[in-house]
Amino acid sequence: MKVLGIVGSKRKKGNTSTLVQETLKAVRETETEVDTELIFLGDYDINSCHGCEGCKDTFKCIIKDDMQKLYPLILESSAIVLGSPTYFYNISSDIKAFLERCYNFEVFDDDDRSVWMSVNEAMGGKYAVAIAVCEQDDEKDMGFTAEAMTKPLEALGYRVVDTVKILELFKMNEASKNDKALEQAKKAGEKLAKTLKLRKQIELKLKTLQ
Ligand SMILES: Cc1cc2nc3c(=O)[nH]c(=O)nc-3n(C[C@H](O)[C@H](O)[C@H](O)COP(=O)(O)O)c2cc1C
């Protein structure tokens, strides 16, 4: 099993990066059979969705950019840890483009677009942790950052097992000195790892019951 960590800040040593990595570390330490991989979206050239519906029949996006490198990783991962800094009360544009470009995993009924399902859902469902980081001390100044990740993740067939909201982080390396923030990120990783373990146990049990 693999967990994919996705950092939506261009600051590789910034707060989002530190907290996503703390969650991944907790995943590995809680469930040694789980591999993790860390992606910095800033390393990839990802266009926003063109809305061309070119993915409609194949569930594959036709835009030839770096998102094509991420699709196999997304498909092979059982879970995602998605982290974004708050930029003007919302997710960063890198996270927004990434989420838009997962539209190919949404499938709609030909005659009734109110009927839809994600490819992940059809494959049995996946899991996620969302991590939102902002500078101000009032949660209202985080705006929609967390929800702008959890809603699309849920629509994409990920059950969000924990949403970590961290306030009062501004300077590049502040998260690494904030024990409370690190603890919240760690707890999220532990919960995610335990969820994956439980899923595996149920799958094995179901096989023995057949
Ligand atoms: C363009 C921009 C917009 C921001 N908007 C907000 C905001 O609306 N609310 C807030 O509390 N912090 C805001 N911040 C502060 C960042 O969320 C904060 O510094 C965060 O720790 C950055 O995460 P990083 O270290 O992972 O890059 C903004 C920062 C930038 C650069």
Side-chain angles (χ1 to χ4, degrees):
M1 272 189 288
K2 185 178 215 164
V3 176
L4 191 61
I6 297 174
V7 177
S9 167
K10 289 203 163 56
R11 303 205 295 186
K12 285 193 173 177
K13 292 186 177 163
N15 300 311
T16 311
S17 171
T18 300
L19 295 172
V20 169
Q21 291 188 64
E22 189 69 14
T23 299
L24 293 184
K25 188 169 130 220
V27 167
R28 290 191 303 272
E29 287 175 357
T30 308
E31 187 49 41
T32 49
E33 283 175 32
V34 179
D35 289 330
T36 63
E37 186 164 348
L38 182 66
I39 297 294
F40 293 99
L41 289 181
D43 289 342
Y44 295 81
D45 183 18
I46 301 173
N47 280 275
S48 54
C49 177
H50 292 181
C52 64
E53 299 291 335
C55 52
K56 189 178 166 294
D57 298 322
T58 61
F59 317 146
K60 286 184 178 154
C61 179
I62 62 169
I63 302 172
K64 300 286 173 248
D65 65 5
D66 287 346
M67 193 65 190
Q68 298 299 339
K69 296 179 191 164
L70 297 186
Y71 287 130
L73 290 177
I74 295 166
L75 284 170
E76 76 182 33
S77 300
S78 307
I80 279 183
V81 177
L82 194 62
S84 180
T86 294
Y87 280 179
F88 285 114
Y89 311 99
N90 216 321
I91 46 178
S92 68
S93 52
D94 285 358
I95 289 283
K96 181 72 166 65
F98 171 80
L99 288 168
E100 283 180 18
R101 292 291 300 287
C102 289
Y103 179 69
N104 55 301
F105 296 125
E106 297 287 24
V107 186
F108 293 80
D109 181 88
D110 282 338
D111 306 316
D112 182 355
R113 283 190 62 84
S114 75
V115 177
W116 54 270
M117 185 180 290
S118 67
V119 168
N120 279 336
E121 206 179 334
M123 286 165 62
K126 295 191 178 185
Y127 306 92
V129 165
I131 301 177
V133 183
C134 83
E135 168 187 359
Q136 299 300 326
D137 63 1
D138 189 333
E139 198 176 316
K140 78 173 170 36
D141 293 313
M142 184 171 264
F144 321 102
T145 314
E147 293 73 16
M149 288 187 279
T150 56
K151 279 192 152 293
L153 282 167
E154 280 162 5
L156 287 163
Y158 292 88
R159 183 154 68 81
V160 181
V161 299
D162 205 356
T163 303
V164 179
K165 294 181 182 180
I166 308 290
L167 313 175
E168 291 184 89
L169 292 179
F170 173 61
K171 289 189 194 137
M172 189 89 94
N173 59 358
E174 267 178 350
S176 58
K177 296 175 203 144
N178 185 320
D179 289 343
K180 206 172 146 211
L182 292 171
E183 185 60 24
Q184 276 179 257
K186 184 180 167 195
K187 278 222 162 76
E190 288 168 355
K191 189 167 182 188
L192 181 58
K194 285 182 197 167
T195 304
L196 292 173
K197 188 177 177 186
L198 183 61
R199 162 89 177 240
K200 206 171 164 192
Q201 283 170 351
I202 294 169
E203 282 171 356
L204 287 171
K205 180 88 179 169
L206 284 171
K207 274 188 193 155
T208 65
L209 293 173
Q210 271 170 3

